[in-house]
């Protein structure tokens, strides 16, 4: 039977795809063999990924990395943090330089499909906004015709910015910046009138100013920015692990499992889902290729989702972020995780 060009092409594409799967499979084994998790994070963003007075990386996204390391290796400190810019984050993940990326990254179709990456969930629902000086005399982003705008390259904010100004029949002058620190410095040096990024990033930036009250975050939110961790295509087991670590942190909040009580509850409770999650019932750890108490270690690392949120970016921090959309579904938000069963 004659093979058509289309069939030959399909076979070749399948072979290439299978080769890619083989090349990227076995991440769990690689991490466990190395004894360290390589986690890609931001170059520095208050509340999300920053160094404390001791030079230790900490923050909302860093806490997720620590939970994954704890689940997989039994040690939340068995991590090599790799700082990445908006431009370098995806090539680093694609090339296998990191095992997981937790760098306030927006889930989009092209990133999920064309770049060969797998988003494992949403850990923060965000939206793009603008910050400017009150002295500029502007109270709304719709008044920014002709403004110069600092913007990080290699991010979804570039296209969102172009769409917003086009839709509102306005002109703007882009001032491209590579990192958040550079954007902050450029904005403070008056190289641009306003700075645009995710609203959480604006809160983080404003919190570092000497006089935060001299600046205003405009009320407009011009996009949907579901932020979350991601891994490479081709290793479903590793994607499942990364996904269910995040789910465990969310469900732990829902069920009242905390950093302080998780070890006690792991001994068994009257709540079947808690028992399944913490390993006293069922074989869910085995399904993932992990120890039965993997979720105990993950939650013990830095607590459940609420504890992590409140510690690093919540109302009582410099960022002062409210839960909003990131509240649990039963509390009026949209944060939701599938059940353990």
């Amino acid at each position: 039977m004659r093979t058509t060009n289309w069939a030959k092409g399909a076979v070749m594409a399948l072979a290439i795809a299978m080769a890619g799967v083989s090349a990227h499979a076995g991440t769990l084994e690689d991490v466990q063999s190395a004894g360290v998790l390589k986690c890609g994070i931001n170059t520095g963003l208050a509340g999300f990924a920053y160094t404390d007075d001791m030079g230790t990386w900490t923050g909302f996204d860093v806490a997720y990395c620590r939970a994954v390391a704890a689940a997989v290796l039994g040690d939340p400190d068995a991590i090599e943090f790799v700082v990445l810019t908006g431009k370098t984050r995806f090539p680093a993940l694609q090339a296998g330089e990191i095992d997981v990326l937790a760098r306030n990254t927006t889930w989009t179709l092209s990133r999920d499909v064309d770049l060969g990456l797998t988003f494992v969930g949403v850990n923060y629902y965000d939206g793009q906004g603008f910050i400017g000086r009150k002295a500029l005399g502007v109270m709304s982003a719709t008044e920014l015709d002709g403004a110069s705008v600092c913007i990080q390259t290699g991010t979804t904010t570039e296209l969102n910015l172009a769409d917003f100004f086009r839709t509102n029949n306005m002109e703007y002058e882009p001032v491209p910046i590579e990192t958040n620190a550079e954007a902050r410095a450029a904005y403070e040096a008056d190289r641009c009138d306003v700075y645009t990024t995710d609203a959480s990033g604006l809160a983080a930036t404003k919190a570092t100013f000497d006089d935060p009250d001299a600046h205003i975050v405009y009320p407009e939110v011009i996009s949907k920015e579901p932020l979350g961790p991601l891994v490479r295509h081709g290793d479903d087991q590793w994607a499942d692990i990364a996904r269910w670590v995040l789910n465990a942190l969310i469900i732990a909040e829902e069920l009242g499992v905390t950093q302080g009580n998780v070890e006690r509850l792991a001994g068994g409770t009257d709540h079947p889902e808690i028992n399944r999650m913490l390993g006293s019932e069922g074989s869910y750890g085995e399904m993932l290729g992990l120890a039965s108490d993997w979720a105990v270690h993950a939650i013990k690392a830095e607590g459940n989702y609420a504890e992590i949120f409140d510690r690093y970016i919540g109302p009582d921090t410099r960022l002062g972020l409210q839960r909003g959309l990131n509240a649990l579904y039963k509390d009026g938000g949209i944060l939701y995780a599938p059940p353990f069963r």
Side-chain angles (χ1 to χ4, degrees), residues 128 130 140-146 159-172 220-223:
Q128 184 175 336
F130 298 85
S140 166
T142 59
E143 303 171 21
L144 292 175
D145 191 18
L159 180 59
N160 294 337
L161 179 66
D163 287 349
F164 175 76
F165 274 82
R166 180 179 177 183
T167 300
N168 286 279
N169 297 313
M170 299 189 300
E171 301 290 335
Y172 71 99
E220 290 79 12
V221 176
I222 68 172
S223 69

Side-chain angles (χ1 to χ4, degrees), residues 102-160:
R103 190 201 174 282
N104 55 301
T105 299
T106 302
W107 188 347
T108 70
L109 185 149
S110 60
R111 291 172 174 179
D112 199 14
V113 179
D114 191 47
L115 294 186
L117 305 175
T118 296
F119 283 81
V120 299
V122 177
N123 68 346
Y124 192 89
Y125 290 94
D126 212 341
Q128 184 175 336
F130 298 85
I131 189 171
R133 297 170 190 78
K134 290 181 179 178
L136 191 64
V138 171
M139 299 303 294
S140 166
T142 59
E143 303 171 21
L144 292 175
D145 191 18
S148 56
V149 184
C150 280
I151 183 169
Q152 288 188 63
T153 56
T155 65
T156 56
T157 55
E158 291 181 286
L159 180 59
N160 294 337

Side-chain angles (χ1 to χ4, degrees), residues 22-323:
S22 298
H24 293 313
T27 306
L28 174 61
E29 292 81 1
D30 291 343
V31 170
Q32 291 179 329
S33 176
V36 64
L37 174 77
K38 293 178 290 186
C39 191
I41 56 172
N42 202 300
T43 54
L45 183 64
F48 287 85
Y50 61 97
T51 52
D52 62 17
D53 294 338
M54 301 296 291
T56 302
W57 282 101
T58 189
F60 182 80
D61 286 333
V62 170
Y64 169 77
C65 297
R66 286 172 50 78
V68 175
V72 173
L73 299 170
D75 181 359
D77 297 319
I79 302 180
E80 176 186 341
F81 289 109
V82 181
V83 296
L84 299 166
T85 67
K87 283 186 175 180
T88 62
R89 55 184 164 173
F90 300 132
L93 182 57
Q94 292 165 329
E97 296 171 10
I98 56 175
D99 304 308
V100 62
L101 178 64
R103 190 201 174 282
N104 55 301
T105 299
T106 302
W107 188 347
T108 70
L109 185 149
S110 60
R111 291 172 174 179
D112 199 14
V113 179
D114 191 47
L115 294 186
L117 305 175
T118 296
F119 283 81
V120 299
V122 177
N123 68 346
Y124 192 89
Y125 290 94
D126 212 341
Q128 184 175 336
F130 298 85
I131 189 171
R133 297 170 190 78
K134 290 181 179 178
L136 191 64
V138 171
M139 299 303 294
S140 166
T142 59
E143 303 171 21
L144 292 175
D145 191 18
S148 56
V149 184
C150 280
I151 183 169
Q152 288 188 63
T153 56
T155 65
T156 56
T157 55
E158 291 181 286
L159 180 59
N160 294 337
L161 179 66
D163 287 349
F164 175 76
F165 274 82
R166 180 179 177 183
T167 300
N168 286 279
N169 297 313
M170 299 189 300
E171 301 290 335
Y172 71 99
E173 177 189 350
V175 180
I177 302 297
E178 183 138 350
T179 69
N180 181 69
E182 292 173 358
R184 175 183 178 277
Y187 173 74
E188 287 195 297
D190 287 330
R191 286 181 53 199
C192 54
D193 297 315
V194 297
Y195 172 43
T196 184
T197 190
D198 297 341
S200 60
L202 296 179
T205 299
K206 184 178 180 181
T208 65
F209 292 154
D210 292 335
D211 184 10
D213 291 337
H215 307 265
I216 180 173
V217 175
Y218 302 129
E220 290 79 12
V221 176
I222 68 172
S223 69
K224 295 185 296 183
E225 305 294 332
L227 310 180
L230 54 157
V231 297
R232 288 179 295 279
H233 274 180
D235 190 342
D236 288 344
Q237 181 190 30
W238 183 246
D240 287 341
I241 290 170
R243 177 179 301 110
W244 280 95
V245 168
L246 175 59
N247 288 342
L249 301 180
I250 295 170
I251 293 174
E253 177 188 357
E254 180 182 340
L255 299 180
V257 180
T258 69
Q259 187 178 32
N261 68 20
V262 63
E263 289 185 324
R264 174 176 56 81
L265 296 178
T269 72
D270 294 330
H271 197 299
E273 187 167 14
I274 292 178
N275 295 342
R276 290 191 292 264
M277 180 172 67
L278 301 185
S280 62
E281 290 184 20
S283 56
Y284 297 93
E286 182 181 350
M287 292 178 190
L288 291 168
L290 300 176
S292 60
D293 60 351
W294 65 272
V296 177
H297 292 294
I299 297 164
K300 182 66 177 176
E302 297 227 21
N304 62 34
Y305 182 92
E307 290 176 292
I308 294 169
F309 188 102
D310 290 343
R311 181 180 303 123
Y312 294 115
I313 61 177
D316 294 329
T317 68
R318 288 192 302 165
L319 272 66
L321 295 176
Q322 301 295 324
R323 286 291 292 267

